[in-house]
Amino acid sequence: MTISFSTASLIAIGVAIFFAQVARQPPAPLATFEEVRPSLYRLNYNWRILPVIPSMPVATWLVESSTLMSPKSWILIDAGTDVAAHQEAILHGIKSKLSSAGGSLKLILLTHGHADHVGALPKLLDAYPDVKVAYHENEEPFISGGAQYTDLKGDTWVFNLARKALPPLNTTLIPSNKAIKLDGSSGDVAEYAKWMSKDILLYHAVPGHTPGMVAFYHKPTKSVVAADSFMQISAWFPFSNAMKIGPGIPLRLSTQSLSRAKESQHKLIRISDATTYFASHDSLVGASAESFKKFVLSW
């Protein structure tokens, strides 16, 4: 098949524009946990899922949960990628925060088992051998049982095509003696960690991106750590429907059920007193409840 000069030129121009957009994306901060709300800290770094896809920000969270029984206790939400530099950044960030603020890491909460959320777990468990790891029971086959997300059939052509080409999306198995399984559609993390005060971190099952993904609601600051329920990056990223930086659909490449993801977004906007929603892939510092609700109701 012969491609005309005009068609080839248009393709070349399109590719040049695409990479020019990628090149001007600001890098995400690296290696420090920044306080985004009182007692809620975020470490953000850039990660590239495939060589041909632009890098995107990935967040890991620290939550302070101080009680009379357990002063200065810390909870990590998600464990980042298995990229060596990212693992070191997370470990350095945790040690630095605990060194300056005091206290100990008591629990790791996983929103889901994708590689960019569990990658540093082996190093973390080596460094903090007494820490338990909690995740939703519907995620257990993928986090602890060796099942692969790429074996699932999705409800979009993008996922069904990508799952045949993507590397394994979960590569870390959790020892059974470290695991805590959250159950039901919602609950209080304190029910599984008796040293915690109630009404600090609540969990909500938000399936779609994966079968057992959960979001965490930090009630003292009315903040939702929404994981991959949505992304907040701009239109330069492939398969994003955002026209500017703002709330957008979860990454189609790795979202098994976009229809269930939409249902889960509607569940999240029903958290009546939430004021901010934080995505795991966020070029900003959260989305207001108003902007998130407006997006969810628009598609």
Side-chain angles (χ1 to χ4, degrees):
M1 181 179 69
T2 302
I3 299 177
S4 69
F5 175 79
S6 58
T7 302
S9 299
L10 287 173
I11 292 172
I13 292 170
V15 170
I17 292 173
F18 173 79
F19 282 104
Q21 288 181 310
V22 171
R24 70 168 184 253
Q25 297 308 308
L30 180 63
T32 56
F33 280 94
E34 303 288 344
E35 190 171 36
V36 294
R37 294 293 183 272
S39 298
L40 179 63
Y41 299 80
R42 182 183 76 168
L43 185 151
N44 229 20
Y45 53 83
N46 284 326
W47 177 66
R48 192 183 300 273
I49 187 172
L50 288 173
V52 295
I53 294 179
S55 61
M56 61 181 174
V58 178
T60 301
W61 308 84
L62 268 177
V63 181
E64 183 185 347
S65 174
S66 296
T67 68
L68 291 176
M69 292 178 59
S70 188
K72 283 287 183 182
S73 298
W74 294 88
I75 301 163
L76 183 73
I77 301 178
D78 283 341
T81 78
D82 61 359
V83 176
H86 296 165
Q87 295 185 61
E88 292 301 325
I90 293 170
L91 278 168
H92 170 78
I94 293 171
K95 290 177 180 178
S96 176
K97 178 54 64 181
L98 269 57
S99 174
S100 61
S104 60
L105 184 66
K106 299 278 284 188
L107 180 66
I108 298 173
L109 298 172
L110 300 179
T111 59
H112 60 296
H114 279 171
D116 54 324
H117 296 259
V118 303
L121 269 177
K123 281 202 171 187
L124 287 167
L125 293 177
D126 283 344
Y128 302 97
D130 296 328
V131 168
K132 299 289 187 180
V133 182
Y135 50 86
H136 196 272
E137 59 182 353
N138 291 342
E139 203 73 353
E140 182 182 18
F142 309 98
I143 290 179
S144 296
Q148 288 294 323
Y149 298 107
T150 50
D151 293 334
L152 297 171
K153 183 173 174 57
D155 64 2
T156 67
W157 69 265
V158 176
F159 177 84
N160 287 327
L161 181 63
R163 70 190 181 98
K164 299 177 181 179
L166 287 172
L169 297 177
N170 51 317
T171 57
T172 302
L173 297 179
I174 311 299
S176 58
N177 65 331
K178 296 285 187 183
I180 298 173
K181 284 168 277 189
L182 311 174
D183 61 10
S185 62
S186 60
D188 193 323
V189 175
E191 294 296 327
Y192 303 85
K194 299 302 183 182
W195 49 268
M196 281 184 67
S197 296
K198 292 186 177 180
D199 292 329
I200 299 294
L201 275 177
L202 309 180
Y203 68 87
H204 295 274
V206 285
H209 186 64
T210 70
M213 191 168 75
V214 288
F216 294 100
Y217 180 47
H218 189 236
K219 195 167 183 179
T221 60
K222 301 180 180 180
S223 302
V224 180
V225 178
D228 289 2
S229 295
F230 75 105
M231 297 196 303
Q232 188 155 256
I233 54 181
S234 59
W236 59 268
F237 198 87
F239 309 111
S240 167
N241 69 336
M243 297 308 294
K244 58 182 180 180
I245 297 181
I249 63 173
L251 182 62
R252 294 176 192 259
L253 287 171
S254 54
T255 298
Q256 186 247 336
S257 175
L258 200 58
S259 59
R260 293 190 76 193
K262 185 174 182 178
E263 292 171 2
S264 291
Q265 289 176 347
H266 280 266
K267 178 180 181 179
L268 289 177
I269 64 174
R270 291 195 293 271
I271 301 175
S272 58
D273 55 349
T275 59
T276 309
Y277 292 81
F278 291 101
S280 292
H281 307 295
D282 188 350
S283 297
L284 303 176
V285 188
S288 69
E290 181 183 4
S291 65
F292 182 64
K293 183 176 182 179
K294 182 179 180 182
F295 159 70
V296 170
L297 297 177
S298 71
W299 74 287

